[in-house]
Amino acid sequence: MTTVSVRFVCVGVLGLFGTVVEAAPQHWRIDPVHSRVVLKVSHAGFSDSMATLSAISGEIKFDPQDWSSAQVQAEIPLHTLDFGHADWNRRMARDDFFAVKRYPVARFVSTRVIGRDETHAEVHGVLHFRGEEVPVVLQVQRNALGRKLPWIIHRRVGYSARATLLRGDFGIDRYPGVVGDEVYIDLQIEAERSRD
């Protein structure tokens, strides 16, 4: 079914905004345990098929005083694709869909960040997936920043992000009447402050 968006990642996207005291650029490592991508695409209008991608890695770099200087790089290993059924996972991994053997990793690299308010921003970037490079815009919300749990040593930041992709942009065009072209992406990203 559909493309991954994400590597998002998406989207790992985003550590962009904050009301933090320090003004120097900071480095944050994406936490693969608490970060995930959810994909959703129409199945002939009957329901939305859903899958997850996990083990996201990458880095967020940002100056809390200047969102426009933020940078995001994230990678998603496509072998983590999970539609909840082993046979279906294997089918979606084949070349006419995710092409996991040929292109095992999806990669997102930001190109600019536009802050909307203290907790919302647009992250523009390029998604490298299946040999294609497609512009993507993530609508991002910052959920929390700091040390909210007593066992956390380093500061953390958490984001939710959404995007809509067209699977045809990545050369995934089989079954146009059965599989929707629009792929809805939901990203949940946590990152930990690393030592600069």
Side-chain angles (χ1 to χ4, degrees):
M1 305 219 105
T2 83
T3 117
V4 183
S5 313
V6 219
R7 173 202 177 125
F8 140 126
V9 207
C10 205
V11 198
V13 106
L14 345 125
L16 320 168
F17 358 73
T19 11
V20 187
V21 179
E22 302 129 82
Q26 303 166 15
H27 294 259
W28 303 74
R29 283 189 306 267
I30 294 173
D31 176 358
V33 175
H34 295 97
S35 300
R36 192 148 301 196
V37 179
V38 177
L39 313 174
K40 191 165 70 169
V41 64
S42 174
H43 179 233
F46 291 109
S47 65
D48 287 335
S49 291
M50 299 177 70
T52 60
L53 288 154
S54 53
I56 302 167
S57 63
E59 184 181 70
I60 299 163
K61 182 178 180 182
F62 70 101
D63 175 352
Q65 307 293 323
D66 180 13
W67 300 355
S68 66
S69 67
Q71 299 174 20
V72 179
Q73 292 190 23
E75 292 193 349
I76 302 174
L78 299 184
H79 74 270
T80 65
L81 178 70
D82 185 7
F83 278 88
H85 190 277
D87 288 343
W88 198 240
N89 292 344
R90 285 189 287 272
R91 175 66 187 90
M92 291 297 99
R94 296 198 319 220
D95 281 354
D96 53 343
F97 283 97
F98 282 81
V100 172
K101 286 187 178 177
R102 292 180 63 198
Y103 306 104
V105 175
R107 184 166 177 256
F108 176 82
V109 179
S110 66
T111 54
R112 67 183 172 128
V113 175
I114 302 171
R116 296 303 182 197
D117 58 38
E118 185 176 318
T119 58
H120 296 83
E122 284 185 359
V123 178
H124 294 248
V126 176
L127 178 60
H128 302 255
F129 173 62
R130 279 181 46 101
E132 304 292 339
E133 298 181 5
V134 175
V136 172
V137 179
L138 298 168
Q139 303 297 328
V140 177
Q141 173 180 301
R142 191 191 73 209
N143 301 321
L145 173 64
R147 294 185 186 92
K148 291 192 145 198
L149 302 170
W151 54 86
I152 289 180
I153 298 173
H154 302 290
R155 281 193 304 147
R156 286 189 160 250
V157 63
Y159 296 97
S160 299
R162 288 185 171 80
T164 301
L165 308 177
L166 299 178
R167 67 186 182 102
D169 288 347
F170 298 93
I172 306 175
D173 54 9
R174 291 201 69 183
Y175 311 114
V178 177
V179 180
D181 191 37
E182 290 188 329
V183 181
Y184 302 98
I185 306 301
D186 188 342
L187 291 160
Q188 298 297 319
I189 299 295
E190 280 191 37
E192 184 176 77
R193 176 75 186 273
S194 58
R195 299 188 180 202
D196 297 337

